[in-house]
Amino acid sequence: MLKCSPIKFLTSLLLIVICSQASAAKLAIVIDDFGYRAKEDNQILAMPAAISIAILPNSPHGIEVATQAYQQGRDILIHMPMKPLSKQPLEKDTLTPSMSAEEVDRIIKNAISRVPHAKGMNNHMGSEMTSSLSGMRNVMRSLSQSNLFFLDSVTIGNTQAQNAAKEFGVP
């Protein structure tokens, strides 16, 4: 069983997850919120290819950024908007706990088409969504059909992402 602990900095653009199992250790660096700021995105894409990126699916530059990142050999994630507990304006196609499984699946499939070459998904905000077991079951059901993994940004302590992922065999 991997034990992972997230560390956030750089105004929540950088998520480092340190995972260890016995004596093995891995470090993954994922920079999220890609697709809206072409200049800043290109500056990060000039960094080493070992840095993974997470692209917001409805962003204006998402497809181009995904294509460029793929050509560089980077891992690409879908940075899926999920409903937070706070009262913030929601982006188009933000996943919410009250959505049906079909609606969640439709939105995720659309996100997959808008972020080509994605290997996985992580949550953008999402404390209300990730704390909902039924909501996360809908997410994991959809991801299991698409063979994508889920990286929990752990925006809330009682996240249900891992419990739901286990049920559907989503890494």
Side-chain angles (χ1 to χ4, degrees):
M1 171 92 178
L2 289 177
K3 301 269 186 202
C4 299
S5 59
I7 303 166
K8 286 189 174 186
F9 67 103
L10 279 181
T11 51
S12 76
L13 287 181
L14 184 60
L15 172 66
I16 300 176
V17 180
I18 302 172
C19 299
S20 62
Q21 183 177 17
S23 62
K26 294 182 181 181
L27 171 68
I29 300 173
V30 178
I31 302 179
D32 59 25
D33 292 341
F34 268 77
Y36 280 101
R37 297 171 312 276
K39 179 183 174 188
E40 290 82 357
D41 291 352
N42 285 326
Q43 289 173 336
I44 294 169
L45 290 174
M47 296 173 76
I51 297 172
S52 302
I53 65 166
I55 302 170
L56 288 152
N58 289 311
S59 60
H61 307 291
I63 292 174
E64 302 107 69
V65 172
T67 301
Q68 185 179 357
Y70 177 75
Q71 291 169 346
Q72 293 177 335
R74 292 180 191 278
D75 286 340
I76 301 162
L77 286 79
I78 298 166
H79 194 46
M80 181 57 71
M82 294 185 180
K83 188 174 183 194
L85 286 171
S86 61
K87 304 293 181 216
Q88 297 181 30
L90 301 179
E91 295 189 41
K92 179 184 176 193
D93 291 334
T94 295
L95 299 180
T96 68
S98 62
M99 288 179 169
S100 68
E102 294 76 22
E103 181 72 357
V104 169
D105 188 55
R106 181 194 65 75
I107 291 170
I108 289 175
K109 283 185 171 48
N110 183 52
I112 291 168
S113 73
R114 297 183 59 86
V115 183
H117 314 292
K119 293 183 174 187
M121 175 184 289
N122 73 327
N123 53 300
H124 175 63
M125 299 187 296
S127 52
E128 185 174 324
M129 182 66 176
T130 58
S131 64
S132 166
L133 183 57
S134 62
M136 292 311 294
R137 282 178 173 147
N138 290 338
V139 170
M140 298 310 168
R141 182 179 294 113
S142 182
L143 291 180
S144 70
Q145 297 166 4
S146 302
N147 296 314
L148 296 177
F149 66 83
F150 187 80
L151 173 64
D152 190 354
S153 297
V154 192
T155 58
I156 194 162
N158 67 333
T159 177
Q160 297 299 308
Q162 185 174 9
N163 294 331
K166 283 181 184 177
E167 287 183 40
F168 290 92
V170 173

